[in-house]
């Protein structure tokens, strides 16, 4: 891009995509977003392709893809040799990770609910929540299996 072309400023790119300016710079630094051209005054001058790519990255991140997964997806897209099944494979792997996290969160919810239900709102020395926080993982697992016992 020559100095006469204005391009899209980093502020405008941020507004168009909903991505923070510092995040845009970070994505450039780690190679997710190619470095833009510069104006005669050395300001970044982005192109419509940057808007599209940054939107892709932002949306991927909103769906929980890690930066490495986004990088893999972009490699597939950038290479031009990818198929929908290649993208599907990355997505299915991510979906399994999401399902594992959901299962972990459901276990966490059950544990917290059980511990909170044991609390009568009494004094701190007799608080089953405090006792649960002090318990070793082994002791907590043992006590969780015994109804009515605080871990």
């Amino acid at each position: 891009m020559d100095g006469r072309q204005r391009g899209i400023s980093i502020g405008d790119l941020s507004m168009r995509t909903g991505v923070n300016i510092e995040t845009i710079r970070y994505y450039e630094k780690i190679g997710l977003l190619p470095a833009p051209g510069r104006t005669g005054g050395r300001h970044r001058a982005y192109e419509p392709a940057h808007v599209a790519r940054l939107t892709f990255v932002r949306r991927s991140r909103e769906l929980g893809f890690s930066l490495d997964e986004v990088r893999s997806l972009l490699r597939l897209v950038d290479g031009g040799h990818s198929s929908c099944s290649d993208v599907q494979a990355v997505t299915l792997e991510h979906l399994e990770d999401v399902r594992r996290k959901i299962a972990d969160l459901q276990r966490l919810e059950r544990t917290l609910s059980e511990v909170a239900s044991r609390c009568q709102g009494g004094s701190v020395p007799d608080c089953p929540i405090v006792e649960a926080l002090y318990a070793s993982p082994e002791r907590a697992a043992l006590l969780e299996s015994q109804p009515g016992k605080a871990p």
Side-chain angles (χ1 to χ4, degrees), residues 41-80:
R42 304 292 302 143
H43 294 279
R44 289 174 169 88
Y46 296 92
E47 309 259 343
H50 288 100
V51 175
R53 186 176 185 96
L54 189 55
T55 300
F56 180 96
V57 172
R58 179 188 51 81
R59 186 69 183 123
S60 298
R61 296 291 288 147
E62 286 174 350
L63 291 173
F65 285 97
S66 69
L67 291 176
D68 286 337
E69 290 168 328
V70 173
R71 190 174 280 112
S72 293
L73 289 170
L74 286 170
R75 265 194 301 269
L76 291 170
V77 172
D78 291 344

Side-chain angles (χ1 to χ4, degrees), residues 136-150:
S136 68
E138 298 81 20
R139 181 171 180 261
L142 175 67
L143 293 174
E144 281 177 10
S145 67
Q146 299 172 3
K149 299 276 188 179

